[in-house]
Amino acid sequence: MSLAGSSVRPDTASEELRSGGLAVRVDGLVREFEGRRVIDELQLDIAAGEFVALLGRSGCGKSTLLRVLAGLDREIAGEVLVPRRKAVAFQAPRLMPWKRVWRNVLLGLPGRPQRAVAERALEEVGLGHRAGAWPKTLSGGEAQRASLARALVRDPELLLLDEPFGALDALTRITAQRLVARLWQERGCAVLLVTHDVDEALLLADRVLVMEGGRIAYETAVELPRPRDVGDPRWVDLRARLLDQLGVVGDGPGGGLGDAKPHAPDAPPRAPAPHTTLHLDPQDPRTDTP
């Protein structure tokens, strides 16, 4: 398929999307690398304000899809509608070491925004006291929060997160997940989270998608009350079905694909012990702990 007919329309799409109650519409998306289709006639709608998590094995096209939605990859065929106001945060915070934290937050903004604009975004993520610091003095959790502030300062209608917690230790990761949950509830923007962690997807998302062979192979709504409890039988069932779709059995409670093993087709996936309880409460005062 020729890629000459590709269309990514952030400039004219916002009104069209709003009229349909959508934040994203993807129709027949194709992305090829040296003749190999990484994304193959993909269809996807994300509702305004919806939190969607995208799972899949490495190389299935997850990050490529996110880059297309972010406008970083335009060598495509098909139609992609995204709002003009969008922002992306990657696994690596990508802070410029020669700029103080507040200047990093303002990178790429049009005009000459003042320091106060950055400080408001940093306060929102619990990092206002580090506005004048150099990036090399930040902890991993602080650097990731600075990256989130840089995304939020753009007041996005669509927030794209590409495995933003993957490099964090377990406790800092829980704190960062709480922070994202709170910011999403307060901001009301749509979120697409790319992750390898099944539990993370179920903790945060309204809907979980599984990508395989360049397409959305499976999706399920997560109709569980927040904060979510991994001891809930409905959680256990959802987790087992997702692991089955991914063809893996988790080695532990994290449910990450990187720590998973293939299972025989007739072997049911293991679920977490029913007495295990983990609450992800966006109102938890510990959210701002690095």
Side-chain angles (χ1 to χ4, degrees):
M1 176 183 290
S2 170
L3 301 185
S6 63
S7 176
V8 181
R9 298 197 283 118
D11 296 338
T12 61
S14 292
E15 284 304 318
E16 186 174 340
L17 288 168
R18 288 193 194 103
S19 67
L22 297 175
V24 171
R25 166 153 285 172
V26 178
D27 183 17
L29 175 62
V30 174
R31 178 61 167 108
E32 297 180 352
F33 291 95
E34 298 181 348
R36 182 175 69 91
R37 285 197 177 185
V38 175
I39 299 180
D40 186 11
E41 299 287 347
L42 186 138
Q43 309 285 331
L44 174 64
D45 286 351
I46 298 176
E50 184 181 21
F51 198 127
V52 175
L54 181 61
L55 293 166
R57 288 186 174 276
S58 296
C60 72
K62 303 185 306 297
S63 292
T64 300
L65 173 59
L66 186 139
R67 287 178 57 82
V68 169
L69 296 179
L72 301 175
D73 186 345
R74 295 175 178 268
E75 296 297 318
I76 64 168
E79 184 172 61
V80 176
L81 300 181
V82 291
R84 171 184 283 275
R85 297 199 329 268
K86 58 187 180 299
V88 59
F90 296 97
Q91 180 174 339
R94 302 188 180 187
L95 303 178
M96 302 296 102
W98 57 87
K99 290 183 178 289
R100 295 188 185 272
V101 169
W102 72 270
R103 292 190 181 277
N104 268 279
V105 170
L106 298 180
L107 276 176
L109 285 181
R112 298 177 61 86
Q114 299 300 307
R115 175 170 176 162
V117 174
E119 289 178 339
R120 283 195 294 272
L122 288 166
E123 286 289 349
E124 195 171 1
V125 300
L127 208 61
H129 64 294
R130 302 288 273 151
W134 296 103
K136 67 179 180 180
T137 68
L138 301 181
S139 68
E142 287 175 332
Q144 197 59 60
R145 281 190 273 162
S147 177
L148 280 172
R150 185 169 56 195
L152 294 172
V153 80
R154 287 152 175 78
D155 191 24
E157 296 176 73
L158 173 64
L159 179 59
L160 302 165
L161 303 175
D162 192 3
E163 301 188 58
F165 317 126
L168 303 180
D169 64 79
L171 293 178
T172 305
R173 187 184 185 107
I174 291 171
T175 298
Q177 289 168 346
R178 288 191 180 120
L179 175 61
V180 166
R182 175 174 64 79
L183 293 171
W184 167 67
Q185 290 183 338
E186 292 175 354
R187 289 279 185 142
C189 60
V191 178
L192 177 63
L193 168 68
V194 169
T195 180
H196 282 95
D197 192 321
V198 173
D199 287 356
E200 181 171 273
L202 290 174
L203 282 168
L204 292 170
D206 296 317
R207 183 164 52 113
V208 180
L209 313 176
V210 176
M211 194 167 177
E212 182 179 354
R215 298 184 178 187
I216 304 302
Y218 179 79
E219 69 175 85
T220 184
V222 186
E223 296 175 340
L224 299 175
R226 299 173 186 270
R228 289 172 176 165
D229 180 356
V230 302
D232 187 322
R234 294 169 295 176
W235 167 287
V236 175
D237 179 64
L238 281 169
R239 185 178 190 272
R241 281 193 280 134
L242 285 169
L243 286 172
D244 188 59
Q245 287 293 324
L246 291 160
V248 296
V249 176
D251 262 347
L257 302 188
D259 299 322
K261 297 178 181 178
H263 68 80
D266 57 346
R270 291 179 294 178
H275 299 296
T276 302
T277 302
L278 174 62
H279 291 289
L280 181 63
D281 186 352
Q283 303 304 322
D284 193 311
R286 293 171 292 176
T287 295
D288 290 335
T289 302

